[in-house]
Amino acid sequence: MTGPRIALLGFSIECNRFAPVATEADFAGRTLLEGDAIIAEARAAAPRMLGELPGFVANMDASGPWQPVPILLAMAEPNGPVDHAFFRRLMAGWEDGLRKAGPLDGVYCVLHGAGLTTEDHDPEGSMLALIRGIVGPAAKLVATYDLHANVSAANVDLVDVYIGYRTNPHLDMRARGMEAAETMRLLLAGTPSYRARIRLPIVPPTVSMLTGKDATLRPYGEVIDLGQEWLAAPEFAGRILNVSVMGGFAFADTPFNGLSVVVSATDQAAADALAARLAGAAWERRAQFRADLTALAEATRLAAATADAARPALIFADVADNPGGGGRGNTMHILQAFHAAGIKDALVGVIHDPALAEEAHRLGAGAFFTATFNREGGDAFSRPFTAEARVRHLLAGTITGRRGIYANNTIDLGKAAALDLGGIVVVVLSNRFQCADPMFFEAFGLDIAAARVVVVKSRGHFRGGYDEFFADSQVIEVDAPGLTSPVLSRFAWQHLPRPVLPIDPDADWTPPA
């Protein structure tokens, strides 16, 4: 076999400091792969892993000979800080694999950038330091990051090119993996790389970091678009390798939280100049980084009004209980309010409640029973709720995602059930996911287009899955309690640099000269 020897490894999890600790089981239930199993899964038609590594492998396969050296890939659904003892075992696995690999021409690292452990603010930085210490300065190191990454100095300084997502909802993960492969080929051919990083005192609420053209309040997407426009300007043409505008993840609560601009270029002057220009554009939009939510009482009134067939159907996002940000996916605030108001023709999903799913399977399809959600307790937001229910449909095992972030992914629901609460059908899962794909309803035979009200436990990725049913004007982001509330003043921050907008109105910033 000929071609460059490229190591493949990764650590991808978004960690909410206020959520329960993530363990090895959380990774094993999603993606925890070693050696050749990584390549086999990356080349599968419906992999369990997200799209970056499959995109990288596909592009490397298509662009010429290469020798993949797969080491260890660990991915999990967003959660709390990772158990540090487990992270140490991951570090030992990466170290052992890299040392046994021998000489390497390059390393591709799949990262998220918002990781934590119970002892480390910056596990990605620790991982990159390990990699660079083993492979040395000559090997090319390219890493891809979620645009919710909190950018430490190590995350930028230790890589040759930093590549962040450009879409939110994340529809470009495979494309960014392919870009990483293209970039790796350029670096191996002798293209030089320099990087610039600027962090602003802005910690954007999650709902203010959308991209695309439908919503009126998307300052973040505007800055990303400007970066892609300006890199082609005459003064930068041919000099920029990548422009990444990283919104960050507030709930990680790190000392390096804050909207960051990272530019990789063929010379330092170009990287510095473009990073400064983009940071200035973000600062000009600072007043727009805010959360405009709908109160639960008003959301309930709007849901009831959909009984009028002349009004459009609505989709309600439970943004404060987003499993995609570490939420437990089981708060009852919206379901309880809608049930009490007698809302009909409604779908609610997906509730993480293994005990209730198990009970539904034991009773069987068609059974009537008193359903108690959260009977086993949870965090302060996961309170019990009881309602009469009928088991409408049962599933167990895997489905294949259809649209958005989970498109063509294998998703393991565990035991799952659709429960009819007298006009509100609730989907309950044993494994925790955000309701970002229509298949979380369609797999149970539920017709989304026929529903008047849909409630999703998701912050924004549902927009990439449900936009075929709901226009942007039909989306209601509900203000309810939860671990991922976009109202950042509600949290007891420990490490977040202060002052920052929008929490501290007096936060200020001086552009670099």
Side-chain angles (χ1 to χ4, degrees):
M1 185 178 291
T2 61
R5 289 171 47 79
I6 309 296
L8 306 174
L9 65 166
F11 174 71
S12 183
I13 182 173
E14 188 171 85
C15 293
N16 184 322
R17 196 176 292 275
F18 307 100
V21 171
T23 66
E24 181 174 356
D26 293 296
F27 287 85
R30 189 67 171 93
T31 303
L32 186 57
L33 299 169
E34 295 185 65
D36 291 340
I38 296 173
I39 290 291
E41 187 74 14
R43 290 173 173 154
R48 291 176 182 266
M49 65 180 67
L50 295 175
E52 304 101 304
L53 190 58
F56 183 89
V57 169
N59 190 286
M60 290 297 293
D61 287 345
S63 59
W66 72 301
Q67 300 176 62
V69 184
I71 307 292
L72 171 62
L73 176 67
M75 288 182 166
E77 290 298 302
N79 220 318
V82 177
D83 173 62
H84 194 71
F86 171 60
F87 183 70
R88 284 200 304 266
R89 293 198 294 275
L90 291 176
M91 290 281 278
W94 290 317
E95 180 176 8
D96 182 63
L98 287 168
R99 294 196 186 283
K100 288 179 178 177
L104 293 164
D105 299 293
V107 178
Y108 172 52
C109 205
V110 180
L111 299 175
H112 186 288
L116 298 170
T117 79
T118 51
E119 298 180 18
D120 193 344
H121 291 307
D122 185 20
E124 291 93 345
S126 300
M127 177 186 180
L128 289 169
L130 172 74
I131 295 168
R132 186 57 85 187
I134 295 172
V135 304
K140 304 305 178 184
L141 175 50
V142 178
T144 48
Y145 294 82
D146 189 300
L147 56 74
H148 292 105
N150 298 312
V151 185
S152 72
N155 297 160
V156 178
D157 296 345
L158 294 172
V159 303
D160 288 286
V161 174
Y162 183 110
I163 297 174
Y165 300 171
R166 299 206 299 261
T167 66
N168 188 27
H170 303 331
L171 305 178
D172 67 331
M173 292 178 292
R174 184 177 177 90
R176 299 287 71 77
M178 297 179 73
E179 179 186 350
E182 294 168 4
T183 302
M184 180 67 77
R185 293 283 189 187
L186 288 173
L187 295 173
L188 292 172
T191 300
S193 65
Y194 299 82
R195 292 156 308 288
R197 171 181 63 95
I198 297 176
R199 184 170 71 243
L200 296 166
I202 302 173
V203 176
T206 51
V207 293
S208 69
M209 285 194 285
L210 296 170
T211 63
K213 299 179 180 179
D214 292 334
T216 57
L217 187 63
R218 293 188 176 174
Y220 179 60
E222 289 180 5
V223 180
I224 289 177
D225 291 344
L226 285 173
Q228 297 308 302
E229 176 186 335
W230 288 345
L231 67 82
E235 64 268 38
F236 299 121
R239 301 167 66 191
I240 306 300
L241 296 172
N242 179 270
V243 179
S244 295
V245 183
M246 315 307 286
F249 184 61
F251 307 113
D253 187 24
T254 72
F256 44 88
N257 270 85
L259 190 151
S260 299
V261 175
V262 183
V263 177
S264 303
T266 58
D267 63 88
Q268 192 66 56
D272 291 340
L274 184 51
R277 185 184 295 186
L278 268 181
W283 186 246
E284 289 172 358
R285 292 161 173 78
R286 60 191 179 277
Q288 299 178 57
F289 288 100
R290 62 181 188 270
D292 291 329
L293 305 176
T294 300
L296 180 54
E298 174 63 9
T300 305
R301 186 192 69 79
L302 292 171
T306 64
D308 180 352
R311 293 176 176 267
L314 297 174
I315 185 167
F316 295 83
D318 192 354
V319 294
D321 187 33
N322 170 32
R328 311 327 292 163
N330 62 3
T331 64
M332 295 287 108
H333 306 287
I334 298 178
L335 175 57
Q336 192 165 359
F338 283 16
H339 186 265
I343 305 299
K344 304 294 184 184
D345 299 320
L347 303 177
V348 175
V350 282
I351 306 297
H352 178 228
D353 195 328
L356 186 55
E358 176 67 35
E359 181 180 15
H361 274 258
R362 186 172 65 252
L363 294 172
F368 288 85
F369 74 117
T370 301
T372 299
F373 295 82
N374 293 329
R375 76 183 72 175
E376 297 184 350
D379 60 38
F381 303 109
S382 307
R383 297 174 182 172
F385 167 61
T386 299
E388 297 305 309
R390 177 175 66 87
V391 181
R392 179 159 169 173
H393 197 94
L394 298 170
L395 278 178
T398 63
I399 61 173
T400 301
R402 184 168 73 80
R403 302 189 78 242
I405 191 173
Y406 294 131
N408 300 315
N409 265 199
T410 295
I411 304 167
D412 187 356
L413 306 179
K415 288 185 177 179
L419 307 179
D420 191 335
L421 275 57
I424 300 177
V425 178
V426 183
V427 174
V428 180
L429 305 183
S430 294
N431 295 333
R432 188 172 57 91
F433 289 92
Q434 63 171 307
C435 194
D437 191 301
M439 283 301 294
F440 285 110
F441 293 118
E442 293 171 347
F444 295 85
L446 302 173
D447 186 354
I448 297 169
R452 301 298 297 155
V453 168
V454 174
V455 179
V456 289
K457 296 275 189 182
S458 178
R459 181 271 313 157
H461 288 312
F462 71 92
R463 293 173 182 267
Y466 293 83
D467 56 352
E468 65 180 8
F469 302 106
F470 299 96
D472 200 70
S473 60
Q474 295 170 271
V475 175
I476 309 296
E477 294 170 334
V478 184
D479 186 7
L483 285 172
T484 61
S485 170
V487 184
L488 301 182
S489 59
R490 294 174 179 168
F491 293 83
W493 306 105
Q494 302 175 56
H495 308 288
L496 201 73
R498 305 291 289 270
V500 293
L501 297 171
I503 304 171
D504 306 305
D506 59 337
D508 201 6
W509 177 73
T510 301

